[in-house]
Amino acid sequence: DTGVSQDPRHKITKRGQNVTFRCDPISEHNRLYWYRQTLGQGPEFLTYFQNEAQLEKSRLLSDRFSAERPKGSFSTLEIQRTEQGDSAMYLCASSPDPSETVGNYNEQFFGPGTRLTVL
Amino acid sequence: QKEVEQDPGPLSVPEGAIVSLNCTYSNSAFQYFMWYRQYSRKGPELLMYTYSSGNKEDGRFTAQVDKSSKYISLFIRDSQPSDSATYLCAFKRGTNAGKSTFGDGTTLTVKP
């Protein structure tokens, strides 16, 4: 049974560089979420997809951030022109559609995260 | 003002103690109330969720929701060293909502 996987687990980059992270959800899940978590804080929602459609984006997702899920399977999160304030753990989660669950609650299963350090 | 406020901790208790973790929220639209556990360098994992008000029990864990006071709690009975982790409350608007809103977490240490 494979859970949500993320790659890379750690990324160190210099300010101004572009970075891309990948998330592979649980195979039968059609929803995929991205969150960002900084030290001492809870995860903050960034965006989510249902299949390949990006249904919601947070105001936190500035123009430098873009997420895609081209075939409704894996997803990528790209950060352009990284800043030191982008240093954080980037978490991906997946869930089934609520209509496919008992009681309509669709649990989000989180991956291990990608830790980004911007120098 | 933040939508969710969580007792910051950290909390340190002896093994076997009863632990109480608490959050308040301001958004009346929240319908699902969740508790996650997060170990160091891992993603959060769901412990329990409650829909609307009331209590829910699962083994040593009990979740309580008081929508009138906008207050939720998680109680851990007979705490174990393996319960040592950060506990996050989280909230969701409804069945179809994508976004979950998290508290900042309370770090619990259970000493043997």
Side-chain angles (χ1 to χ4, degrees), chain B residues 53-104:
Chain B
S53 277
N55 293 2
K56 188 173 185 180
E57 190 173 320
D58 184 3
R60 297 184 295 110
F61 298 88
T62 300
Q64 286 186 352
V65 175
D66 182 349
K67 289 185 77 174
S68 61
S69 302
K70 294 190 177 66
Y71 189 87
I72 71 169
S73 299
L74 178 71
F75 297 95
I76 307 174
R77 289 185 303 280
D78 188 25
S79 54
Q80 303 295 309
S82 58
D83 295 329
S84 298
T86 296
Y87 290 80
L88 299 155
C89 58
F91 303 79
K92 211 167 75 141
R93 285 184 160 217
T95 302
N96 247 339
K99 172 184 174 179
S100 290
T101 302
F102 285 81
D104 286 339

Side-chain angles (χ1 to χ4, degrees), chain A residues 3-14:
Chain A
V4 177
S5 62
Q6 294 187 244
D7 184 68
R9 294 292 308 277
H10 304 275
K11 178 72 177 178
I12 299 174
T13 191
K14 292 183 179 178

